[in-house]
Amino acid sequence: MRNHRGVIAEHYHALQSLDSIDAARAAMPVAPGTRSALLIGLYQSVEIGLHNVVQLLDRAAGHLRDHDIAACAIDLHWVRSFHRVLVRLSLAARRISAGWDGEAPRWAVDATPAFADFMGVLRRFDGALTHLADQPEIDLGEVIAERSLDDAFFAVLHCTRIANHDARVWSANLGASVHPAPHLAPDQLLASDHVRQAVFEHQLTGNTYFTQFRALHQIPELLVREINDRVEIAIRSARAGDITAAVDVLDGAEELFDPIEACLPPIVDNLSTYDYHQIRENLGLTSGSHSVSLRFHLFTELYEQLVEAIADRAEADGDHPLLPRLRRHAMGLNVFIFSWRDMHLHLPRNNLGGAETKSLTGAQDAVRTVRKMRDNAASNDPVAQLEKRVQVPSSAVGPLAEYLDGPESSDGLLLTETGKVTQANFRDVQERLNVFSQPCPFSRPPRRVV
């Protein structure tokens, strides 16, 4: 099914092009759970990020040529955020690379397909900005000296200088990281065709942020597959009494938490309600809770089995010197899961609002539904049940909760007004008409049992 912008996603798996993500991961020339697999996942994620920077910078250069400074500034806010994600990916690669010999070959990031595209568009953008700065009516010094964040031209210059520095950082970090399979060319190691297919399989007409919305889901989907494989190995190792192996494999999994978490702030900070509404119908009957790898495998099934395996091992081998570290890994996974859940709550709050605004899949109140899911997970958290000193607070507690939920706070006002706008713009969603009259095709997947 399609609308005037393009395809309407049939389900979450298709929306995020997860077939291509799975194909890219399956093409890795190394086994899951290895240090090499960690690096390849990070490098593939960098490739996804760079393809998105290329699209955004190309649009921004066009806006500069058209003297549409405000539109350019919006694209550059996204560019700046993607560079920040690339920095976090590169830092993880540097940390993981420390496990190799100092003479190991280094990663040729400048030989990847996406980097080549990036260099081309960076030159075009810089040329457009330099040409604009040469115009007699433009005074860059005045813009820098006398204007601030409320000015679109200043935002263009500010985002550009931040992005330039961050590009220097991530490219240097990646160039100092290890090439895990030096006998393979970068495009072979990356399975670049599959990565490119994932990024560009679904494109909408017009200047939307649909591709970026997908990319910031695709990178976590790619990296969490390695985490899940590692947690499964850790469960088996703990059950077999090999605590050392369990700790080692979870050390690697934890390296991916930070770059995954880095993918949510760009959507939260840059995706306006208006921009989200331009792509909402094309998301179809989907929900972030339909992510099998995140929502079901990691956050529920593997997490529960890991904590159970650690509890059993503590009873059988409570004096093992690495047992406290194994328990800390369970706590680290707990913190990661709830950090993700809390950050993800921004999306329905900012883009759907309250006042009984329905979700795409028909939940009566999207914000309330996501909060309830988060709080139900907190009340049933396996680490909190194992470690009585651990507390996972609900979203309705804390020293600010009463005020923020009260009549004086601006929060309720903004949620209500956002809800009214969303309901007016999407009566078919609210009243379950047309494609949204259909039952949601998603069903809970089989449990991942280790």
Side-chain angles (χ1 to χ4, degrees):
M1 187 171 292
R2 303 176 67 86
N3 63 11
H4 69 288
R5 288 201 179 274
V7 66
I8 296 175
E10 293 182 14
H11 43 69
Y12 180 87
H13 194 90
L15 172 65
Q16 309 300 357
S17 294
L18 296 186
D19 281 343
S20 295
I21 294 294
D22 288 332
R25 180 165 168 76
M28 288 194 307
V30 300
T34 61
R35 286 183 299 165
S36 294
L38 286 171
L39 284 179
I40 293 172
L42 290 167
Y43 297 156
Q44 289 174 327
S45 298
V46 167
E47 200 80 345
I48 291 172
L50 280 175
H51 281 310
N52 277 265
V53 172
V54 167
Q55 184 185 79
L56 292 163
L57 265 185
D58 187 57
R59 274 192 346 214
H63 292 317
L64 284 182
R65 290 191 294 269
D66 295 339
H67 289 213
D68 191 345
I69 305 303
C72 179
I74 296 171
D75 284 337
L76 289 181
H77 279 292
W78 283 92
V79 168
R80 178 182 65 178
S81 292
F82 267 93
H83 278 291
R84 289 282 165 82
V85 173
L86 292 170
V87 168
R88 303 280 278 278
L89 290 165
S90 75
L91 290 171
R94 282 279 313 282
R95 288 192 299 268
I96 293 163
S97 295
W100 267 266
D101 183 274
E103 300 303 314
R106 301 293 121 172
W107 178 240
V109 62
D110 55 336
T112 69
F115 189 94
D117 292 345
F118 168 67
M119 284 304 305
V121 77
L122 181 61
R123 289 190 174 95
R124 292 196 298 276
F125 173 81
D126 285 343
L129 183 57
T130 300
H131 177 76
L132 187 64
D134 286 340
Q135 303 307 304
E137 67 273 18
I138 300 296
D139 185 344
L140 288 192
E142 183 272 334
V143 174
I144 293 170
E146 299 183 15
R147 303 190 198 179
S148 189
L149 297 176
D150 61 332
D151 181 83
F153 203 172
F154 178 80
V156 167
L157 304 183
H158 190 53
C159 289
T160 298
R161 62 190 180 188
I162 289 172
N164 284 341
H165 175 67
D166 281 347
R168 184 192 303 269
V169 172
W170 61 252
S171 62
N173 283 339
L174 292 171
S177 299
V178 164
H179 191 321
H183 60 287
L184 293 177
D187 62 326
Q188 291 178 283
L189 184 73
L190 295 170
S192 294
D193 290 345
H194 292 305
V195 173
R196 182 182 288 274
Q197 171 73 6
V199 174
F200 296 113
E201 180 180 10
H202 303 305
Q203 295 290 296
L204 302 185
T205 60
N207 290 341
T208 73
Y209 298 100
F210 182 69
T211 302
Q212 288 67 51
F213 180 88
R214 293 191 334 117
L216 294 164
H217 287 78
Q218 289 169 337
I219 292 172
E221 287 286 350
L222 175 61
L223 295 179
V224 79
R225 281 156 167 73
E226 176 65 21
I227 292 176
N228 289 346
D229 287 342
R230 285 175 168 268
V231 173
E232 182 166 324
I233 294 169
I235 293 167
R236 296 186 189 281
S237 298
R239 288 173 180 169
D242 193 346
I243 294 179
T244 301
V247 167
D248 182 66
V249 78
L250 290 176
D251 283 345
E254 199 164 75
E255 291 288 2
L256 301 182
F257 292 172
D258 179 74
I260 288 177
E261 287 182 330
C263 290
L264 273 175
I267 306 178
V268 173
D269 295 343
N270 299 318
L271 190 67
S272 70
T273 305
Y274 170 83
D275 288 329
Y276 175 77
H277 284 186
Q278 299 308 298
I279 67 173
R280 190 186 187 209
E281 187 173 71
N282 296 92
L283 305 182
L285 290 163
T286 68
S287 165
S289 64
H290 294 173
S291 169
V292 173
S293 292
L294 279 160
R295 163 71 177 82
F296 292 95
H297 289 173
L298 182 60
F299 290 4
T300 305
E301 297 150 4
L302 293 175
Y303 178 38
E304 291 171 355
Q305 292 172 85
L306 177 66
V307 174
E308 181 182 358
I310 292 173
D312 291 344
R313 184 47 45 199
E315 285 189 18
D317 201 4
D319 295 330
H320 194 288
L322 287 180
L323 185 62
R325 191 163 151 193
L326 186 59
R327 295 172 83 122
R328 282 198 300 275
H329 272 306
M331 186 63 210
L333 182 53
N334 166 285
V335 171
F336 168 70
I337 288 171
F338 284 96
S339 172
W340 177 268
R341 288 184 181 277
D342 287 336
M343 182 64 77
H344 210 275
L345 256 165
H346 281 292
L347 304 186
R349 282 171 46 84
N350 295 354
N351 300 314
L352 302 182
E356 304 295 323
T357 303
K358 289 184 179 179
S359 73
L360 289 169
T361 56
Q364 193 64 34
D365 187 300
V367 173
R368 190 183 305 143
T369 298
V370 177
R371 282 184 63 172
K372 185 178 179 181
M373 289 174 61
R374 183 247 181 250
D375 290 344
N376 285 343
S379 64
N380 295 296
D381 180 69
V383 165
Q385 293 175 6
L386 175 66
E387 306 274 5
K388 299 306 179 185
R389 57 192 171 82
V390 173
Q391 295 184 359
V392 183
S394 82
S395 61
V397 303
L400 277 174
E402 183 177 356
Y403 174 79
L404 289 171
D405 290 336
E408 295 180 79
S409 172
S410 59
D411 201 49
L413 171 66
L414 294 174
L415 282 170
T416 298
E417 290 304 312
T418 303
K420 289 178 181 177
V421 169
T422 304
Q423 291 178 37
N425 285 345
F426 296 95
R427 294 198 178 278
D428 53 346
V429 177
Q430 197 66 20
E431 299 175 16
R432 312 315 291 172
L433 304 173
N434 302 318
V435 66
F436 297 99
S437 66
Q438 303 173 23
C440 179
F442 182 80
S443 59
R444 188 181 183 110
R447 181 176 173 84
R448 182 166 176 170
V449 178
V450 181

